[in-house]
Amino acid sequence: MAHFLFFLLAIICIASVLGMIISKDQAYTALFLIVAFVCMGGLFGLLEAPFIAAVQIIIYAGAIMILFIFVVMMINLRKGVGPEKKKWTMYFAVVIAAVLVVELVLTLKGTLEPISSAALESLGSPTDLGRLLFTKYLYPFEITSILIIAALVGAIVLVKKRDKE
Amino acid sequence: MNTIYALFPVLIIVAASLLVMILEVFLKREDRSYLAYISLLFLIAAAAGCVKFWDKGYSYFDGNLSLSNLSLFFCFILIIATFLVILISMKYLTLQNANYGEYYVLLLFALSGMIIMVSSSDLIVIFLGLEVLSLSSYALAGLRREDEKSNEAAVKYFLLGSFASAFLVFGIAFLYGATQATAIPSIVEGLQSGSSFGTLGLVGLGLVVIGFGFKVAVVPFHMWTPDVYQGAPTPITAFFSVGPKAVGFAVLLRIFIPYFKDALESQLMFGLLWIIAAITMIAGNLIALRQTNVKRILAYSSIAHAGYLMVAILAQDTQSLVFYLTAYLFMNIGAFAAVIALGKKDHEYLELEDYKGIGFRYPWIGATFAVFLISLAGFPPTGGFLAKFYVFSAAVRQGLVSLVIIGVLASLVSVFYYLRIIIYMYMKEPSYDVEINIDNPSLFLALFLCLYGVLQLGIFPGNILVLISQAVAALPF
């Protein structure tokens, strides 16, 4: 079952990423990206990392995608501007892709054996994360609240309507 | 001692900003100056707290928050800086059409971020504090919304600042990978023990230097500085030139002074910072020569000063670094206060041409501005002279003779552009009238306080030096 789900999600993920690259329409691109993100979330779930799976879906497929779509809507860019096709960018891209492939192979080498499930047991479970957040990382966690309110105030003061003199 | 009192300075600043935020809703536009008074009161309370906690060594959250004497000293000078900035901005905001209550809210949030940064040695906490500071700063830079330059400043600061933060997080992640720690002492220990992850740690340190190098504006990460300093409201420029710089160096000091103790391990980073210090001093001063806008001149001067501060880090001398930052606070905020004094409704005089004959027309402003410029240039009997003297002599003791020669030559160059402003003020005939609004008591109070600070540090630095040596005695933090 797990194997079947893995290959299903992986294939959908790769297909939608390909669709995202090939598609010319900005809105479709964004939608393909959502599908890819959701599949990634599913893959994290299969790896017994439910918290990361949830975050992947909530933050990437939710919040960040909405930002993307807002931008697409606001600048009204249905048909994307094609990237400038220069020879050297092409070569550069090939080189970087090759480096990435090598890196991937090196990382995978030796880690392909199935990981024992004992090691996975507490990896990113929401309970543990929550407990850490409210004990060891309480201070950073509380600072985040100041951070958010500072960001809110800053954003509002920059965009709100001016009151009359 | 582990006690909840350690939270007092941060909490009181956050409480002040929340209170100001709520009160702003209920106050009429004309009454907004009350918000400034309230902020000032809370700042005094926080400063009193810092004084009271001296030598107590309070800490909380398993040492994530620790008020060592050095932290308290930094908190204290940051509170003074914010105090002065609020004083110089009270009238400015109504004159320049930027009278938002949120101004004080954001300023206090920025201060709380800085206090969080200097009172912790955990890189996660430091990063979050830096973000609180940065996010408030981005908004403050763009506060004059009708002004194109101010918008440009906000956007530029935001984009480049986000990049710098990303570099910093990346660096922290690398350091964690290399040493399995986020607390600075354990990281330094891990790096010095020469584990197999040496390269990883070096990359991490390099990325952290880039992140903070941006915040303290050292060459080559200084590109944003002149534009942001020019575009932001002038009191905020004064704040930017002092606050983020002080906290950036406070963190660099915690990392690099213990790290450099092991000369062999740290050779590479030492060389890197040496080069940064040298080109910052040279480039900052040389480019300043070509500027005609006073704010831009002061921007490049602040870049050059970051170079001198970097020399103090390389000399591994905390005392001279802290003294330099203290003196720099007074002279730089003072200089900006004098620039703000030369303003009227909806107009600021910022071009060098405007300063012709100011020295005789407005003798007090001219004279104090001249003192601050002399101090920035590093002449006795001002604080700027002693600060430079301590830094350079510490560097010579450490054997950095060539760096000191570069520094002294660079500050000789700097004399030219500081004196040029003075020459314009006293030796050129004005070609047009400069009308300014002189009904601005809080600004003159700030000018006086800065003047007092500069002269006190220059003539009787004894008390402050004793305090600083007490603060440094508690090393390692």
Side-chain angles (χ1 to χ4, degrees), chain A residues 12-48:
Chain A
I12 298 178
C13 188
I14 292 173
S16 55
V17 169
L18 277 180
M20 182 188 96
I21 297 171
I22 294 165
S23 161
K24 286 272 191 296
D25 191 307
Q26 299 287 309
Y28 287 144
T29 312
L31 288 174
F32 274 124
L33 194 57
I34 293 184
V35 177
F37 279 148
V38 172
C39 292
M40 289 287 281
L43 287 175
F44 279 125
L46 279 181
L47 285 173
E48 310 207 19

Side-chain angles (χ1 to χ4, degrees), chain B residues 423-436:
Chain B
I423 288 172
Y424 267 83
M425 286 198 300
Y426 285 99
M427 295 175 194
K428 298 238 175 176
E429 286 299 315
S431 41
Y432 49 89
D433 269 355
V434 169
E435 291 291 335
I436 69 169

